[in-house]
């Protein structure tokens, strides 16, 4: 499924890029925001576009070869933002964007088990080269650890029962696929409204496997440091844990918070793109 960028116009308005600016897009994805920035920064401007998922870097180079004089796509983790930026000569930039989470295409086509909608290997790693998979987490972590993950990262009210059911099941059959996990969760949580019973549990595992909150926490101070005076930092988050972190960081910074309240998608945008319903954009100026 093609990814539709959220809050595109609002990001442009928030970052307010000008001709000749240097911008870092920390989450290239399908390149929607990066592409929108290019006409604004013009032929002299440059965008450093980072993504942890190598497939996104390769796809961008293949799809938009004509932009490569303006865009430098780099595979990397934004938790190492300073090193990546300096290595590519982006040491003082006018704008930095984070559009957190995963793209629709990663959900539907990566085959790495991000979604409960298809039966796939329970991997969930954005960077398939390293770290524990979601199956490793379910099969090897202590019950207390699983409880913490489902409670803190999933905000799943039935965290204790789910953790215990995982422990019981893995003793008989280790977890291999998304279907294995969906079966366990559906045995405990019944479908209520439009929310799939496994939504929160999957969210929790994705956050744990990819160290999402830790990465964001590491990256934000580096981003502020890389901004030139009056440069702008824009972050789009999709759940309250990320948003809380961003909000707290902005309050601690000695910057001008441009968005006193987070910017959310219009009704028209949500009708076109359901993913936009939980997006919150916060912008700060150095
Ligand atoms: C919501 S998508 C971005 C979509 C993009 N803005 C667009 O318009 O097409 C988020 C992207 O961030 C990447 N990502 C997530 N965590 C990352 C990290 N720690 N470092 C670098 N990229 C990361 C994901 O691989 C994914 O491609």
């Amino acid at each position: 499924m093609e990814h539709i960028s959220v809050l595109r116009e609002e990001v442009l308005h928030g970052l307010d890029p000008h001709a000749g600016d240097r911008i870092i897009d920390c989450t290239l994805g399908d390149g929607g925001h990066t592409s929108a920035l290019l006409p604004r920064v013009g032929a002299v401007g440059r965008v450093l576009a980072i993504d942890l998922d190598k497939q996104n870097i390769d796809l961008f180079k293949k799809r938009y070869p004509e932009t490569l004089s303006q865009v430098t796509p780099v595979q990397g983790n934004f938790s190492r933002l300073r090193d990546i930026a300096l290595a590519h000569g982006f040491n003082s930039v006018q704008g930095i964007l984070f559009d957190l989470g995963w793209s629709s295409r990663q959900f539907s086509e990566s085959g790495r088990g991000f979604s409960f909608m298809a039966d796939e290997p329970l991997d969930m790693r954005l960077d398939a080269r390293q770290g524990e998979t979601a199956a490793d987490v379910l099969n090897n972590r202590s019950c207390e650890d699983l409880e913490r993950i489902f409670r803190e990262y999933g905000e799943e009210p039935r965290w204790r029962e789910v953790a215990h059911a995982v422990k019981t099941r893995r003793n008989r059959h280790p977890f291999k696929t998304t279907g294995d996990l969906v079966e366990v969760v559906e045995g405990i949580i019944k479908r209520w409204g439009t929310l799939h019973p496994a939504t929160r549990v999957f969210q929790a595992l994705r956050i744990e496997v990819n160290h999402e909150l830790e990465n964001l926490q590491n990256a934000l101070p580096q981003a502020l440091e890389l901004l030139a005076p009056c440069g702008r930092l824009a972050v789009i988050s999709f759940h309250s844990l990320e948003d809380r972190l961003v909000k707290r960081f902005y309050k601690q910074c000695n910057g001008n918070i441009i968005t006193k309240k987070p910017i959310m998608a219009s009704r028209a945008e949500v009708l076109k793109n359901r993913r936009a319903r939980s997006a919150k954009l916060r912008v700060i100026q150095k």
Side-chain angles (χ1 to χ4, degrees):
M1 185 200 293
E2 194 69 19
H3 180 81
I4 308 172
S5 307
V6 302
L7 298 170
R8 233 170 117 117
E9 283 311 311
E10 292 80 355
V11 164
L12 288 180
H13 188 255
L15 286 178
D16 192 24
H18 293 88
D21 278 359
R22 296 163 81 75
I23 310 278
I24 306 179
D25 180 351
C26 295
T27 50
L28 172 68
D30 277 15
H33 287 112
T34 284
S35 304
L37 287 164
L38 294 183
R40 295 290 198 94
V41 300
V44 192
R46 293 285 178 270
V47 178
L48 175 65
I50 303 170
D51 203 292
L52 193 49
D53 190 338
K54 186 168 182 303
Q55 281 182 3
N56 288 342
I57 301 296
D58 294 343
L59 195 70
F60 185 85
K61 288 182 184 164
K62 204 165 130 193
R63 269 184 170 174
Y64 306 108
E66 73 285 359
T67 66
L68 296 179
S69 55
Q70 279 173 291
V71 183
T72 309
V74 176
Q75 182 190 14
N77 192 322
F78 58 57
S79 70
R80 294 186 46 251
L81 180 59
R82 186 189 304 106
D83 292 347
I84 299 172
L86 297 186
H88 292 86
F90 282 69
N91 41 8
S92 174
V93 301
Q94 284 71 38
I96 300 186
L97 169 67
F98 292 83
D99 173 19
L100 300 168
W102 312 269
S103 71
S104 307
R105 209 178 28 73
Q106 284 169 318
F107 256 75
S108 58
E109 291 170 26
S110 72
R112 278 178 263 157
F114 289 115
S115 163
F116 38 76
M117 304 301 275
D119 195 17
E120 296 174 346
L122 251 179
D123 185 319
M124 295 196 188
R125 289 170 304 168
L126 286 171
D127 181 353
R129 298 170 304 183
Q130 52 199 358
E132 278 180 305
T133 65
D136 293 334
V137 170
L138 292 175
N139 290 327
N140 304 326
R141 296 288 190 88
S142 68
C143 197
E144 293 71 36
D145 216 11
L146 293 175
E147 287 179 353
R148 174 190 62 80
I149 294 166
F150 299 143
R151 187 183 63 237
E152 286 182 15
Y153 296 164
E155 298 180 316
E156 169 52 64
R158 314 274 300 263
W159 49 272
R160 183 169 284 144
E161 288 157 87
V162 178
H164 283 257
V166 166
K167 191 171 164 240
T168 307
R169 145 107 200 194
R170 77 185 183 192
N171 293 338
R172 287 180 284 116
H173 303 292
F175 286 87
K176 285 192 181 130
T177 66
T178 47
D180 296 340
L181 179 57
V182 169
E183 193 184 298
V184 166
V185 176
E186 282 182 332
I188 296 168
I189 307 166
K190 298 292 162 237
R191 189 181 281 271
W192 196 80
T194 53
L195 195 72
H196 189 285
T199 305
R200 295 193 179 96
V201 169
F202 269 66
Q203 172 183 300
L205 278 171
R206 289 188 298 248
I207 293 176
E208 174 68 16
V209 166
N210 295 295
H211 310 286
E212 270 191 55
L213 299 177
E214 217 176 297
N215 289 337
L216 182 61
Q217 202 150 18
N218 288 336
L220 291 175
Q222 298 178 49
L224 201 68
E225 198 185 306
L226 287 165
L227 283 178
C230 296
R232 291 182 176 207
L233 167 63
V235 184
I236 304 174
S237 63
F238 290 85
H239 53 75
S240 54
L241 299 167
E242 288 169 344
D243 184 53
R244 235 174 277 155
L245 215 149
V246 177
K247 191 172 156 188
R248 207 178 322 132
F249 176 75
Y250 281 13
K251 275 200 179 147
Q252 288 163 359
C253 293
N254 190 16
N256 173 22
I257 300 176
I258 305 283
T259 48
K260 301 294 174 226
K261 288 209 167 119
I263 295 176
M264 313 231 352
S266 64
R267 245 176 78 79
E269 178 171 355
V270 175
L271 281 176
K272 273 192 263 162
N273 181 11
R274 231 179 95 73
R275 234 186 129 262
R277 72 195 184 285
S278 46
K280 285 187 179 164
L281 168 66
R282 292 186 187 269
V283 184
I284 192 169
Q285 184 172 37
K286 186 162 169 178

